[in-house]
Amino acid sequence: MDIYETKSIIKVLGNSKEILDDVVVTEYPLTIYLNKNEFVTILCTPKSLKELTIGFLIGEGIIENLSDISNIDLHLDRNISCVTLSDNINIENTLSKKDIRTTGCGRGSTFNLSINELSKHKLELSDDLVIKTSDIISNMNTFVKKSDLFRLTGGVHSVMLSDNNKELFFEDDIGRHNAVDKIIGNALIQKISLNSNILFTSGRISSEIIMKIAKAGLPVIISKSAPTSVAIELAEHLNITLIGFARGKRMNIYTHPQRVLVE
Amino acid sequence: MDIYETKSIIKVLGNSKEILDDVVVTEYPLTIYLNKNEFVTILCTPKSLKELTIGFLIGEGIIENLSDISNIDLHLDRNISCVTLSDNINIENTLSKKDIRTTGCGRGSTFNLSINELSKHKLELSDDLVIKTSDIISNMNTFVKKSDLFRLTGGVHSVMLSDNNKELFFEDDIGRHNAVDKIIGNALIQKISLNSNILFTSGRISSEIIMKIAKAGLPVIISKSAPTSVAIELAEHLNITLIGFARGKRMNIYTHPQRVLVE
């Protein structure tokens, strides 16, 4: 399955035009089945789809770790990802969940949660994580140049997981939520604990992105773009360090600056 | 309800920092009820919410025009929009629809549709609409500078409806799909026929955006950003002119160039 396709287009510059072949990002519908019940169709970039399936189910609160899944079968030609859940997962609760349309391709559950439930996802503030702004600037600089698919098509968001020194994984996708799900799924498969790692993203940060990373245990998110009001309030409550507008030598620290050393 | 809020942040530039108040875009959850049944929660910018409700229901295929709604009550303090559908609308069909997570905040129904159903939304190619590239360049130039909320917060997408000469309406929202829904809802309320108008958008164009504008009867969409493969295929099939990467004097015409005069 190709992640980009060639299309014939007319390129216009001022009053001149030219017919040529150009590259566009592939959009691929992936339907996830849970124990043979159709659950959801995600429009995505056809890459890292097992990671996407796992990360999505974590973000939705369907599973909490990899042992909650007994099997995943991907059938790329039929656009389906068939998940068999472990016996301890109650599929009835799952399938009756309320539908929340978020600002991106994922269903946030933020507004379903009581303060008690929300507090279940609160991260520890006792971590010893200290991130230097000089490292953020240099990592962000590497990150924004990294997506070949963006350079080719201009149609994807990127996400990178870093351990504060080096890149662990990088993903891109037509949906900014999908890219986050792929990173979280990948970390689970590779048994990498997320609680001292940092997520870099090109996309805007709304409440459901914060809920996704809280459920995954990720304490720091750094974006090139803007956060929303509720994202900031949730990050504050859940002990997540939220940094936005990280561009060149600038950045805005919105919450929990104690993890950031300005130097 | 304010569309932006003030937050205290730490602004970093190189190795210096400053605590100051900054403005962030408000995220607001709006739950739509259909005949007293909870239908969906949309995360959005709290402006033009009646328009959003109507445009969303059009895009979902729940209603086809304003007469399919007998009443809408907005309760901003309770975050709800209560819609009473006309007697001719079958609510049972509606509430059992398949869930598709799209790349933005809207549920596309593209992949639920057979070719027959899809063809129902095919636009007429016999329209006499001719758009000059010089007008596109000048309208796009006005459009990209227009959002005060983007200038303040950096956190919204914008959409503008134009009749090929002048702007009809402008909307912005944290979700690019919501902004399109608001424009379509507004046109319905104001009884403006969309079949010779043009939509300008700052956001990427994926399949569900094309389905939304096809259902609304809009023949032309012009974006600053990239389209996906499926968006191009749908636009081709549905007789929609799709233009992307409209920046400065450049643009790419992906489908149905017969409506565009390069000059």
Side-chain angles (χ1 to χ4, degrees):
Chain A
M1 183 63 59
D2 289 328
I3 57 175
Y4 58 85
E5 295 171 28
T6 301
K7 301 274 181 193
S8 172
I9 70 162
I10 300 176
K11 202 173 255 304
V12 175
L13 172 56
N15 56 8
S16 72
K17 65 177 174 180
E18 188 186 358
I19 296 175
L20 46 78
D21 281 345
D22 201 13
V23 164
V24 301
V25 68
T26 302
E27 180 180 326
Y28 175 92
L30 178 73
T31 299
I32 299 178
Y33 283 76
L34 295 181
N35 295 357
K36 301 190 179 162
N37 296 286
E38 187 174 333
F39 179 53
V40 70
T41 297
I42 301 174
L43 305 181
C44 62
T45 301
K47 203 182 68 173
S48 308
L49 296 181
K50 189 172 173 191
E51 290 80 355
L52 173 60
T53 303
I54 295 168
F56 183 82
L57 295 178
I58 290 275
E60 293 291 293
I62 309 296
I63 62 168
E64 288 185 5
N65 49 60
L66 217 49
S67 66
D68 293 336
I69 294 179
S70 71
N71 192 47
I72 300 184
D73 273 328
L74 275 179
H75 302 276
L76 285 188
D77 52 326
R78 289 159 57 208
N79 295 66
I80 58 179
S81 178
C82 295
V83 177
T84 311
L85 296 170
S86 304
D87 294 341
N88 59 313
I89 304 296
N90 184 335
I91 185 83
E92 296 307 320
N93 282 352
T94 297
L95 295 175
S96 66
K97 283 207 162 198
K98 180 178 153 188
D99 189 11
I100 297 200
R101 307 307 167 81
T102 65
T103 59
C105 45
R107 173 167 64 180
S109 52
T110 315
F111 301 101
N112 272 335
L113 296 178
S114 65
I115 288 293
N116 272 349
E117 286 177 286
L118 203 58
S119 296
K120 224 178 66 179
H121 300 293
K122 227 173 185 168
L123 303 192
E124 292 295 328
L125 264 185
S126 58
D127 55 37
D128 297 328
L129 190 57
V130 177
I131 323 155
K132 295 177 190 163
T133 52
S134 54
D135 288 337
I136 294 175
I137 291 166
S138 115
N139 284 329
M140 198 69 185
N141 196 31
T142 310
F143 168 65
V144 293
K145 294 177 191 149
K146 202 171 161 62
S147 176
D148 293 332
L149 193 56
F150 182 79
R151 210 164 22 249
L152 274 168
T153 68
V156 289
H157 275 297
S158 304
V159 175
M160 175 177 86
L161 187 71
S162 154
D163 71 357
N164 202 6
N165 287 308
K166 62 179 187 308
E167 174 194 329
L168 298 173
F169 342 110
F170 177 88
E171 295 282 357
D172 37 30
D173 197 286
I174 55 168
R176 63 196 162 86
H177 298 73
N178 296 342
V180 172
D181 287 338
K182 286 175 175 180
I183 290 281
I184 291 170
N186 203 334
L188 248 77
I189 291 169
Q190 300 201 33
K191 299 190 196 319
I192 290 174
S193 158
L194 290 172
N195 59 19
S196 59
N197 290 328
I198 300 161
L199 202 72
F200 288 84
T201 171
S202 63
R204 287 163 301 122
I205 301 178
S206 41
S207 59
E208 73 275 29
I209 296 278
I210 297 294
M211 285 311 302
K212 276 179 190 291
I213 69 164
K215 286 173 185 166
L218 247 165
V220 182
I221 183 163
I222 302 172
S223 174
K224 199 178 75 175
S225 304
T228 67
S229 61
V230 182
I232 296 169
E233 287 149 22
L234 279 175
E236 182 63 42
H237 181 75
L238 297 170
N239 297 332
I240 289 170
T241 297
L242 167 55
I243 296 175
F245 291 107
R247 296 171 184 189
K249 295 187 168 181
R250 294 178 184 274
M251 70 192 75
N252 293 345
I253 308 173
Y254 291 92
T255 57
H256 298 289
Q258 69 278 9
R259 293 195 185 99
V260 186
L261 179 64
V262 179
E263 63 142 53
Chain B
M1 183 65 56
D2 290 328
I3 57 174
Y4 58 85
E5 296 170 28
T6 301
K7 300 276 182 193
S8 173
I9 70 162
I10 300 175
K11 201 174 254 301
V12 175
L13 171 57
N15 56 8
S16 74
K17 64 177 175 181
E18 190 186 358
I19 298 174
L20 45 77
D21 281 346
D22 201 12
V23 164
V24 300
V25 68
T26 302
E27 180 181 326
Y28 176 90
L30 178 73
T31 299
I32 298 178
Y33 282 76
L34 295 181
N35 294 357
K36 300 191 180 161
N37 296 286
E38 188 174 333
F39 180 53
V40 71
T41 296
I42 301 173
L43 306 181
C44 62
T45 301
K47 203 182 69 174
S48 308
L49 296 181
K50 191 173 171 187
E51 290 80 354
L52 173 61
T53 302
I54 294 168
F56 182 82
L57 295 178
I58 289 276
E60 292 292 292
I62 310 294
I63 62 168
E64 288 185 3
N65 49 59
L66 216 49
S67 67
D68 293 336
I69 293 179
S70 70
N71 192 48
I72 299 184
D73 274 328
L74 275 179
H75 303 274
L76 286 188
D77 53 327
R78 290 159 56 209
N79 296 65
I80 58 179
S81 178
C82 295
V83 178
T84 310
L85 296 169
S86 303
D87 294 340
N88 58 315
I89 304 295
N90 185 336
I91 184 83
E92 296 306 321
N93 282 352
T94 297
L95 295 177
S96 66
K97 283 210 164 201
K98 178 179 153 187
D99 189 9
I100 297 199
R101 308 306 168 80
T102 66
T103 58
C105 47
R107 173 167 62 182
S109 51
T110 313
F111 301 101
N112 272 335
L113 296 177
S114 65
I115 289 293
N116 273 349
E117 285 176 288
L118 204 58
S119 296
K120 225 178 65 181
H121 300 293
K122 227 171 185 170
L123 303 192
E124 291 295 326
L125 265 185
S126 57
D127 55 36
D128 299 327
L129 190 57
V130 176
I131 324 155
K132 296 178 191 165
T133 51
S134 55
D135 288 338
I136 294 175
I137 290 165
S138 115
N139 284 329
M140 198 69 186
N141 196 29
T142 311
F143 168 64
V144 293
K145 295 177 189 148
K146 203 173 160 60
S147 175
D148 293 333
L149 193 55
F150 182 78
R151 208 160 27 245
L152 273 168
T153 69
V156 290
H157 275 296
S158 303
V159 176
M160 175 176 87
L161 186 72
S162 155
D163 70 358
N164 203 5
N165 287 308
K166 62 177 187 311
E167 173 193 330
L168 298 173
F169 341 111
F170 177 87
E171 293 284 358
D172 36 30
D173 197 285
I174 55 168
R176 63 197 162 88
H177 297 75
N178 296 341
V180 172
D181 287 338
K182 286 175 175 181
I183 290 281
I184 291 170
N186 202 334
L188 249 80
I189 292 170
Q190 301 202 33
K191 298 189 196 319
I192 290 174
S193 159
L194 290 171
N195 58 20
S196 60
N197 290 328
I198 300 161
L199 202 70
F200 287 85
T201 172
S202 63
R204 286 163 301 122
I205 301 179
S206 42
S207 58
E208 73 276 27
I209 297 278
I210 297 295
M211 285 312 302
K212 276 179 189 291
I213 70 163
K215 286 175 185 166
L218 246 165
V220 183
I221 183 162
I222 302 172
S223 173
K224 200 179 74 175
S225 305
T228 66
S229 61
V230 183
I232 296 169
E233 288 149 22
L234 279 174
E236 182 61 43
H237 181 76
L238 297 169
N239 295 333
I240 289 170
T241 298
L242 167 55
I243 297 176
F245 291 107
R247 297 172 183 186
K249 294 186 169 181
R250 293 178 183 273
M251 70 193 75
N252 293 345
I253 309 174
Y254 292 92
T255 58
H256 297 289
Q258 69 277 11
R259 293 194 185 99
V260 186
L261 179 64
V262 179
E263 62 142 54

